[in-house]
Amino acid sequence: MRTWDPTRRITKGQPVEQAKKELARQYRKDRTPAERAVWELLRGRRLLGLKFRRQQLILGFIVDFFCAQHGLVLEIDGSSHEPLARQAQDEERSRILARLELRVIRVRNEEVDAARLQELIRKELNLQSPPLPSGRGGRGVR
């Protein structure tokens, strides 16, 4: 299994058109309801302690969410991604990002929930589930 080197400079120093920067800023302001919900789950390292950035520019693409520590791209796909032509573009984009050794997870709007995202990210990053609490608690079955 490949391991991501977080010191790789994927996002810094890349030549980016000013228009793309403005578009990314606009996307951060005009989020879809699903993107808004995902950001509430991810922001502030709330999900698995991972730091995500939203609407990150990578090779001229604007990805929905990016975790630089693990080279993980999280894309939230709505109805605009349903036409076959758009699906082909998405697949090509994912292949290009994979050549950079980035991992891409695509989630449909209707599949967005904390448990599902946590499961997908754990599986992609091969993270173990946290151990169940053990010991003598004051509120358990005896």
Side-chain angles (χ1 to χ4, degrees):
M1 183 175 115
R2 65 178 182 222
T3 57
W4 173 254
D5 178 5
T7 62
R8 288 185 61 190
R9 297 184 68 115
I10 293 291
T11 58
K12 293 186 180 186
Q14 64 177 323
V16 178
E17 300 171 15
Q18 188 62 32
K20 280 282 188 175
K21 287 183 184 179
E22 292 300 322
L23 189 56
R25 281 190 193 107
Q26 191 61 40
Y27 285 170
R28 281 191 288 276
K29 290 178 187 174
D30 300 333
R31 296 172 289 167
T32 66
E35 288 173 339
R36 201 172 293 118
V38 170
W39 183 239
E40 284 305 310
L41 295 170
L42 298 177
R43 61 181 272 205
R45 299 178 190 257
R46 292 179 183 169
L47 192 72
L48 302 171
L50 301 175
K51 179 181 174 146
F52 279 87
R53 288 182 247 162
R54 56 192 171 120
Q55 306 304 330
Q56 178 66 54
L57 283 156
I58 300 175
L59 286 182
F61 297 121
I62 301 172
V63 301
D64 292 334
F65 301 98
F66 178 63
C67 174
Q69 178 185 0
H70 293 284
L72 180 66
V73 172
L74 180 59
E75 293 281 56
I76 308 303
D77 294 342
S79 59
S80 67
H81 294 263
E82 289 177 7
L84 289 177
R86 181 60 191 260
Q87 289 175 9
Q89 290 173 341
D90 288 344
E91 288 174 18
E92 179 61 18
R93 176 178 154 136
S94 292
R95 278 193 291 277
I96 291 169
L97 293 172
R99 281 189 230 134
L100 292 173
E101 297 181 3
L102 296 175
R103 300 168 178 170
V104 180
I105 297 175
R106 300 194 88 79
V107 179
R108 300 204 32 82
N109 282 355
E110 54 274 3
E111 297 175 335
V112 169
D113 73 52
R116 175 87 171 125
L117 287 177
Q118 190 166 339
E119 172 191 338
L120 289 169
I121 292 169
R122 278 187 192 285
K123 183 176 177 183
E124 184 63 38
L125 300 180
N126 199 23
L127 298 174
Q128 301 299 315
S129 296
L132 295 173
S134 61
R136 299 167 75 185
R139 297 181 185 244
V141 176
R142 293 181 190 243

